[in-house]
Amino acid sequence: MEEKKTSNALNTVKAVLKSNTMLFVLVGVMVLFEVLIRASGHGSLFAPANVTNIIRQNAYVAILATGMLLCILTGGNIDLSVGSVVALIGALAGVFIVNWGWPIWLAVLACLILGTAIGAFHGFFIAYIHIPPFITTLAGMLLWRGVATIVLDGRPIAPFPEKYLKLFESYLPATSDKMGEFELFGSWVDKYTLIVTLIVTAIAILAYVALEIISRRNKIKKNYTVQSTTSFIAKLVVLSVVIVIIGQFLARDRGLPVVLILLGVIIAAYSYFTQNTVPGRYLYAIGGNEKAARLSGVNTNNVMFFAYTNMGFIAAVAALVTIARMNSAQPTAGQNYEMDAIASCFIGGASAYGGTGTVGGAVVGAIFMGVLNNGMSILGVDMNWQRAVKGMVLLAAVIFDVMSKRKKAAKK
């Protein structure tokens, strides 16, 4: 009896580790960087201000990764044009807001519409003309970068109005000295900021737990395979603890970055879409077996068109965030953004063959990339070595995916 209990406990631990592998790897890498940074006397990776900077500096990666995941799900397809689209939409935003003095809401709406139109342009050739996504988006990468440079005439546009910057670069709540400050874990914290941030953190945890429970119940009703109850609870506990830890770091700095709230809305919306809607499941069906999906009545052309149209919309959102962070629109903006987004998806568990991956995993992959960049920068690692390390991490993630697929195939 005791042996059976021990065996069940070990199986549960293995299941928890397997379902949260990337999260535990991320924690391990962060601890390693913290030890190295402290040993070198360069401060701390876990300084509240640095945690806030990691979020602000890598928000665009997480945003792009959510859109890129939908493309990858359709069969390992990617979009190479997103960096150039970010540059073009940023350039247009600069012209609309700074040069032409448009109302901010109108400029933002126009940028989102134009980004979506660019995505639809790619999607049309990919889905209906059947030009390979690699070729289509490679052409888009060259085309839109050139257009961005033409729009800006090779010169940056800056600065942007304060009202626009507040949309993406402000913090909630606004710091208030009315309640005074006190020292917490070696940092002086505004009481009002702490209280509001922790309340929002608690609400986020409750919303996350509720959505996960609802999603699990719906999957059980539809006879989908789900995690064991113990593994499911363990997953909720682990991620809730992570959210609490991040929340207290933000509370000890300037509060919640508005861009984090935007990112949270995007993650929640796309997680629900991919996991709980019929069109979202079509993406997985196409990645699993496109021919079978087509024979089952799925309009695969429309699904592909949607995936790339959506990628254009997401690239426009990332562009608006990027120009706010840089406070300028530049012809060189967005360089290698597509690589960061693609790497984030694969590192976060998306399959190179399509049909496998989650929005949450892509976001964890984006955070992993951000921690690598931030940690190596603090340690003073040469930029060329940073690229080499990120390349090796991406290769390792894809090798792991390929080997896992082969093992499963061998068992069958």
Side-chain angles (χ1 to χ4, degrees), residues 250-266:
L250 298 177
R252 289 162 55 197
D253 188 33
R254 287 163 285 182
L256 292 166
V258 171
V259 71
L260 178 60
I261 298 174
L262 171 64
L263 181 58
V265 171
I266 291 173

Side-chain angles (χ1 to χ4, degrees), residues 344-364:
S344 298
C345 291
F346 288 139
I347 291 171
S351 172
Y353 302 104
T356 302
T358 62
V359 172
V363 172
V364 170

Side-chain angles (χ1 to χ4, degrees), residues 87-238:
L88 175 57
I89 298 301
L92 292 172
V95 171
F96 295 157
I97 298 172
V98 180
N99 291 357
W100 294 356
W102 282 15
I104 290 173
W105 67 268
L106 180 60
V108 169
L109 180 61
C111 288
L112 294 177
I113 291 173
L114 288 169
T116 305
I118 290 172
F121 176 80
H122 295 156
F124 173 77
F125 288 104
I126 292 168
Y128 302 116
I129 308 300
H130 301 294
I131 298 176
F134 182 89
I135 300 300
T136 301
T137 58
L138 177 61
M141 179 176 71
L142 301 173
L143 170 62
W144 306 126
R145 177 68 64 181
V147 175
T149 304
I150 292 169
V151 169
L152 292 174
D153 196 23
R155 296 189 297 269
I157 296 176
F160 279 77
E162 191 65 27
K163 287 183 179 180
Y164 178 78
L165 299 181
K166 284 184 178 180
L167 288 177
F168 303 103
E169 283 296 294
S170 57
Y171 297 83
L172 294 177
T175 303
S176 171
D177 294 324
K178 293 179 181 179
M179 299 181 71
E181 295 183 341
F182 67 99
E183 191 172 1
L184 178 66
F185 302 131
S187 304
W188 285 97
V189 183
D190 178 77
K191 290 181 181 178
Y192 180 67
T193 300
L194 177 67
I195 292 170
V196 174
T197 303
L198 293 183
I199 289 174
V200 174
T201 300
I203 293 172
I205 292 172
L206 291 174
Y208 163 72
V209 172
L211 289 173
E212 286 292 316
I213 292 174
I214 293 171
S215 176
R216 178 181 169 83
R217 286 180 178 175
N218 289 336
K219 288 179 181 178
I220 291 173
K221 286 181 181 178
K222 296 174 182 176
N223 296 319
Y224 290 166
T225 302
V226 296
Q227 295 173 293
S228 67
T229 303
T230 306
S231 299
F232 178 70
I233 293 173
K235 172 189 170 184
L236 293 182
V237 171
V238 169

Side-chain angles (χ1 to χ4, degrees), residues 86 115 182 206 214 226 237 244 291 293 323 330 355 406:
V86 166
F182 67 99
L206 291 174
I214 293 171
V226 296
V237 171
V244 169
K291 185 176 181 180
I323 59 175
Q330 301 181 13
R406 287 181 181 176

Side-chain angles (χ1 to χ4, degrees), residues 69 71-78 287 342 345-347 349-357 394-395 397-403 405:
L69 177 69
C71 298
I72 291 173
L73 287 177
T74 61
N77 301 306
I78 57 176
I342 293 167
C345 291
F346 288 139
I347 291 171
S351 172
Y353 302 104
T356 302
L394 174 59
L395 181 61
V398 176
I399 289 173
F400 178 80
D401 172 56
V402 172
M403 296 303 293
K405 287 272 190 305

